[in-house]
Amino acid sequence: MLVKSLKIIPVEVVVRNIVAGSLSKRVGLIEGIRLSSTIVEYYFKSDELGDPLINEDHIRALNLASMEQMSKIKSVALKVNDILLHHLAARNLELVDFKLKFGLHNGQLLLGDEISPDTCRIWDKTTGEKLDKDRFRYDLGGVEVAYEEVYRRLLN
Ligand code: TMP
């Protein structure tokens, strides 16, 4: 595999279509409520601080990225959402949310992340069954079976 080394921007970008995970806890809504519009969130990448939620003003004031870079990051994140949402929906899969990271290669801004059930929440559209890392996070079992099911549907 040929790869490009990136200087990672220490901001995790989360795109949400449906309430789940930390959003559910933060705003007190139960998992599964469809958002009336897509939410893009930013988290400061810091293990010591537990990746706190920040906004574009923090990113600018802390010089984590320029506003031009943030504008491109947001637009790419929303484009990924649009493509992935429809791609998964055609396979009866619901894209709940996902996380992306970006970085710089010779000054060029690039998406630098995997897109997988480790970094996305993906539910069966009919049953609502979780087919992602939440099976591991919530100790639900069947992690491998769920990942294989996503893989099987993506091959179709
Ligand atoms: P959250 O609801 O826990 O904030 O997670 C939002 C999305 O980001 C979810 O699809 C899981 C993904 N995620 C990661 O890929 N890595 C992480 O470290 C965290 C906290 C979330």
Side-chain angles (χ1 to χ4, degrees), residues 36-137:
S36 56
S37 60
T38 306
I39 296 176
V40 181
E41 296 175 343
Y42 306 111
Y43 294 85
F44 178 41
K45 189 73 206 122
S46 162
D47 289 341
E48 306 89 78
L49 302 175
D51 299 350
L53 181 69
I54 55 175
N55 64 27
E56 285 194 9
D57 285 343
H58 294 101
I59 292 169
R60 177 171 29 209
L62 300 175
N63 296 315
L64 302 178
S66 70
M67 288 304 98
E68 193 189 346
Q69 287 166 342
M70 287 315 296
S71 162
K72 187 166 174 207
I73 284 173
K74 186 172 182 182
S75 115
V76 169
L78 288 171
K79 189 170 177 189
V80 169
N81 186 50
D82 198 39
I83 292 169
L84 208 52
L85 194 76
H86 292 100
H87 194 71
L88 292 176
R91 288 146 182 91
N92 205 38
L93 294 168
E94 189 83 78
L95 179 62
V96 175
D97 55 35
F98 62 93
K99 178 269 304 174
L100 295 176
K101 273 189 287 219
F102 293 80
L104 297 171
H105 175 77
N106 295 336
Q108 188 191 8
L109 182 69
L110 295 174
L111 171 58
D113 219 331
E114 66 177 79
I115 296 175
S116 81
D118 266 7
T119 57
C120 303
R121 284 197 176 90
I122 301 169
W123 296 349
D124 181 278
K125 249 187 188 300
T126 308
T127 64
E129 188 188 4
K130 295 180 194 300
L131 299 171
D132 55 64
K133 196 174 174 180
D134 275 353
R135 299 207 70 84
F136 168 76
R137 293 189 188 100

